[in-house]
Amino acid sequence: MIDNDIIDKVRGSLIGGACGDAFGYPVEFIFSFKEIEVKYGIGGIAEYDLSYPWLSGAREGGSVLISDDTQMSLYTAEALIESHKSGRDLLQTISEAYLAWYGHQVGESVKISYCSRLSEIEELNQRRAPGNTCLSALSAVSNGRAAYNQSKGCGGIMRVAPIGIFGAVHKWTLHKTAGIAGESAEITHLHPLSTYSSAALAIIVQECIETDNVDPVTFQNIVENSIRIVEEVYGENSPNMNEFKDVIYNALSLFDSQQEDWEIIETKLGGGWIAEETLAIAVFSVARHIDDFAGCMKCAVNHGGDSDSTGAVAGNIIGAIIGYDMIPKKFTETLQFRDLILSYSDALSACNK
């Protein structure tokens, strides 16, 4: 039976991702940290924005909204639970789960072979800036065709943390976790850098859940191990492998720099619109603020890029390190669908019973 510490870390990873998503969502399309400071003051956004006009009228009970990142992560979790329960092919079930999400986004009736509880929650399935690559790829899948693109956008990596969670619960080998996460991302995003980054994130989440007392040195070792395993799974001479390694090692090398967080991200790590940059910003933010959830979140979203996705991935990782009980209540109390997310976290843990 899974122990309480693992259950807490599973909750922390899924909720942490949702917190980062909701925190970064209002600044996703602000083009620089300096512009964020104009809107939110010195230091940028530091609290949930419950008043942002884009979000007004869509909140329930004053809660802060999650975006498509958390929506798709929940559908990934649902597919893992359904496959475990029914014996259905895992990747096929994940693909069908994404189709269920897609149908709501575009207002089409999409038939899948299992009963999706998430599909029945109207508020959950509202459009929250869904990625164009996800929509176009799933349009092809819904019409019986495989996706065909060379996109390395962050729409693949942002949703695969539940695979690392499930791997920890079931004690999968890290190689198995990497393969499933990479193939899951490839349902919509076909560039190798999306595949490698998604595989690495799932490995990192799994190892952070499995490891007690993750300090900066331990975390660096976990990230470096994820790179090694991705190399072993996909081949060290695979296309773009050296580029992937360079981006992530660069992020690790910067965590003790004297520059400001935002300056490092905007000048040396990118905007997070593409998968390897999303992972790099998340890794940097966690390494920089490994004992401080709020500091990690501020670091991960205060830049001119895809702030909800970088916040979500950083939240998945640091939540897997510190656990749910150590996430400040100011982040969890007003989070939209908190109870639903916790129920799916616990269902993932219960799959071990």
Side-chain angles (χ1 to χ4, degrees):
M1 182 178 293
I2 191 167
D3 65 44
N4 289 334
D5 287 342
I6 297 295
I7 291 171
D8 185 52
K9 286 186 161 199
V10 167
R11 285 180 148 210
S13 184
L14 206 58
I15 283 282
C19 290
D21 174 21
F23 190 39
Y25 189 24
V27 297
E28 178 182 12
F29 296 112
I30 298 180
F31 296 114
S32 72
F33 172 71
K34 292 301 183 182
E35 291 183 38
I36 295 173
E37 281 197 314
V38 169
K39 181 171 179 60
Y40 292 100
I42 299 299
I45 189 168
E47 305 284 345
Y48 282 144
D49 184 350
L50 290 170
S51 64
Y52 192 50
W54 183 15
L55 309 182
S56 64
R59 299 188 305 276
E60 21 172 69
S63 59
V64 63
L65 295 184
I66 53 92
S67 81
D68 61 318
D69 298 50
T70 303
Q71 289 175 342
M72 295 195 79
S73 292
L74 282 170
Y75 274 98
T76 303
E78 181 175 74
L80 289 159
I81 295 162
E82 171 63 26
S83 175
H84 177 77
K85 178 180 69 176
S86 67
R88 297 175 187 274
D89 178 80
L90 177 54
L91 286 166
Q92 179 60 35
T93 308
I94 292 173
S95 181
E96 289 194 29
Y98 296 159
L99 286 176
W101 169 84
Y102 164 80
H104 287 286
Q105 299 300 300
V106 299
E108 294 181 4
S109 177
V110 177
K111 292 184 178 180
I112 62 173
S113 63
Y114 75 94
C115 181
S116 169
R117 175 189 171 201
L118 295 176
S119 285
E120 298 172 356
I121 305 173
E122 181 178 353
E123 179 70 15
L124 175 71
N125 290 289
Q126 292 186 0
R127 281 182 74 107
R128 300 282 166 77
N132 289 332
T133 299
C134 284
L135 294 179
S136 61
L138 291 170
S139 175
V141 174
S142 71
N143 288 291
R145 305 189 308 273
Y148 182 76
N149 60 55
Q150 274 293 293
S151 175
K152 57 178 180 176
C154 64
I157 189 175
M158 72 183 193
R159 64 187 193 231
V160 301
I163 295 170
I165 292 171
F166 201 74
V169 168
H170 284 273
K171 303 186 185 305
W172 282 353
T173 68
L174 297 175
H175 292 74
K176 177 177 179 178
T177 297
I180 291 172
E183 287 186 74
S184 173
E186 288 171 352
I187 293 169
T188 56
H189 291 68
L190 278 298
H191 196 286
L193 284 169
S194 170
T195 303
Y196 307 154
S197 301
S198 301
L201 172 62
I203 294 167
I204 292 167
V205 167
Q206 179 171 337
E207 279 215 271
C208 286
I209 290 173
E210 294 174 339
T211 305
D212 294 331
N213 303 318
V214 178
D215 60 20
V217 173
T218 305
F219 181 64
Q220 179 168 330
N221 290 338
I222 287 171
V223 175
E224 290 177 349
N225 191 44
S226 78
I227 295 170
R228 179 182 63 79
I229 291 171
V230 168
E231 269 194 304
E232 290 174 359
V233 171
Y234 294 100
E236 63 178 339
N237 296 317
S238 297
N240 304 103
M241 184 61 73
N242 286 335
E243 183 180 353
F244 166 71
K245 291 164 57 180
D246 288 346
V247 169
I248 307 307
Y249 279 127
N250 180 52
L252 285 176
S253 74
L254 295 167
F255 86 92
D256 58 355
S257 168
Q258 297 304 304
Q259 286 183 284
E260 297 287 338
D261 290 349
W262 69 268
E263 188 176 5
I264 293 170
I265 292 172
E266 291 195 344
T267 63
K268 297 179 180 176
L269 296 178
W273 299 107
I274 52 180
E276 70 274 24
E277 290 181 0
T278 300
L279 183 60
I281 292 169
V283 163
F284 168 76
S285 300
V286 173
R288 188 92 150 174
H289 303 278
I290 200 160
D291 296 320
D292 179 5
F293 184 86
C296 177
M297 292 295 93
K298 287 178 65 177
C299 178
V301 309
N302 273 293
H303 59 87
D306 197 350
S307 297
D308 62 337
S309 296
T310 55
V313 173
N316 289 140
I317 297 171
I318 196 166
I321 293 171
I322 66 173
Y324 175 70
D325 288 345
M326 293 300 293
I327 296 176
K329 285 186 170 52
K330 71 175 185 177
F331 285 98
T332 60
E333 285 180 341
T334 57
L335 180 66
Q336 188 187 32
F337 299 117
R338 178 193 60 185
D339 291 344
L340 177 71
I341 298 165
L342 287 174
S343 74
Y344 271 83
S345 302
D346 293 344
L348 286 169
S349 295
C351 287
N352 182 258
K353 295 179 180 178

